Amino acid sequence: MRKPRWLTALRHLLGPGKPKRRTKPKRLLLVRHGQSEGNEVHHRGANGDLRGYTEEFEQMLSSHYRLTASGRDQAVKAGEWLKDHGLGTFGRYYVSSYVRAAETAGLLDLDDAQWFEDHRLREVEHGEMDKLPRAVQQARFPKAMQHLKEDAFHAIPPNGESIAQLTDRLRSLITTLEDECSGDDVVLVCHSEVMWAFVQVEPQRSGGKPIDGRLYFGSSWENMDGLTTTAILRRSGGRWNIVDMR
């Protein structure tokens, strides 16, 4: 039975049908946002000053936190450092959908940057534990706090999101980068826990044990004080490896 001419023509138009081979971006530069209003309140709270936990603060969406004066200065200095080290131009520019990240991206003042906002780069969702002093978190959610202490990678805050779940949306972002940024240098302005999760996305150490973010980012991912952190990741050995930190 002869194949319809339209089917032959369609197959010719679509090509041999072999899947396109994806290649990873050459290098990722992750830049954490500068100090935000939320960082400042939590940092002071960790040192015993709870005056920032006002009703106004509790009602504010954490995605709307603005940079503080210190955070704006940090972002400007981060941009200067990047350009001084030959990192002022990239093939693609991505930024979290949160206000503090967008402000940081603008203040980096990278050459000819056209930023693509991507909600997959947003901070991990802390759920009902968000915007609470540590002592209040402990009092209201003792089991959740214990789980976070025992397994920070898999534990899920009430109505929140685990780091493991965060890595799932980052895998989706990696697919986008493979499709659109093959072989390019890419900059992503995001959040500390997103930076930690990024090193979990690819195949992990022997035995599958998650990499301890403290080894890379110290305490910045756990109790953020708003210091802008920069990480350069290079693809090698089947996973992203941190090759430089500032």
Side-chain angles (χ1 to χ4, degrees):
M1 180 176 179
R2 293 182 60 186
K3 297 177 182 178
R5 293 179 61 187
W6 65 266
L7 180 59
T8 302
L10 179 61
R11 286 179 174 173
H12 177 75
L13 179 64
L14 295 178
K18 294 181 179 179
K20 180 181 177 182
R21 184 176 181 272
R22 289 191 174 109
T23 59
K24 302 289 193 297
K26 181 173 66 176
R27 187 167 57 173
L28 301 179
L29 176 73
L30 310 182
V31 179
R32 182 173 178 265
H33 62 80
Q35 184 190 58
S36 72
E37 296 168 319
N39 295 147
E40 185 175 42
V41 169
H42 292 312
H43 182 62
R44 289 180 176 177
N47 289 286
D49 183 355
L50 303 180
R51 290 175 295 176
Y53 292 99
T54 63
E55 183 177 350
E56 181 182 4
F57 178 76
E58 291 180 3
Q59 293 177 351
M60 183 185 302
L61 293 175
S62 58
S63 59
H64 290 180
Y65 292 157
R66 304 287 303 274
L67 294 182
T68 63
S70 178
R72 292 190 293 273
D73 182 62
Q74 291 165 358
V76 170
K77 289 180 178 177
E80 292 173 349
W81 183 91
L82 292 174
K83 286 177 280 189
D84 288 345
H85 289 77
L87 295 169
T89 303
F90 297 85
R92 186 63 66 90
Y93 303 77
Y94 283 95
V95 61
S96 160
S97 54
Y98 283 17
V99 172
R100 55 189 179 274
E103 290 183 330
T104 298
L107 290 169
L108 291 176
D109 194 29
L110 299 180
D111 299 333
D112 300 320
Q114 294 185 336
W115 292 95
F116 289 80
E117 181 182 288
D118 198 304
H119 71 279
R120 290 170 293 186
L121 286 170
R122 71 188 185 276
E123 182 60 291
V124 68
E125 304 285 353
H126 295 289
E128 295 176 33
M129 297 174 67
D130 195 20
K131 296 181 291 185
L132 297 176
R134 182 59 60 91
V136 176
Q137 291 177 337
Q138 185 64 53
R140 293 186 187 177
F141 308 103
K143 289 186 178 180
M145 291 293 286
Q146 184 62 32
H147 292 164
L148 286 166
K149 183 178 180 180
E150 294 172 352
D151 188 354
F153 184 72
H154 294 101
I156 305 175
N159 292 317
E161 178 184 35
S162 70
I163 298 297
Q165 291 169 326
L166 170 57
T167 63
D168 288 338
R169 58 174 150 103
L170 290 180
R171 288 190 180 94
S172 169
L173 177 61
I174 287 291
T175 300
T176 298
L177 298 179
E178 291 170 347
D179 288 339
E180 301 179 3
C181 312
S182 176
D184 285 339
D185 283 346
V186 180
V187 60
L188 306 100
V189 177
C190 51
H191 309 266
S192 62
E193 286 171 309
V194 174
M195 295 174 71
W196 177 40
F198 239 104
V199 300
Q200 316 290 331
V201 171
E202 296 298 318
Q204 299 169 5
R205 293 176 176 176
S206 58
K209 184 177 180 181
I211 302 162
D212 188 351
R214 296 174 183 83
L215 299 177
Y216 296 101
F217 307 115
S219 63
S220 67
W221 69 272
E222 184 177 56
N223 183 25
M224 300 176 291
D225 62 4
L227 294 178
T228 300
T229 305
T230 304
I232 301 173
L233 307 187
R234 188 183 298 278
R235 173 82 176 174
S236 65
R239 56 181 289 266
W240 295 105
N241 295 273
I242 293 180
V243 297
D244 197 9
M245 285 287 295
R246 290 292 184 271

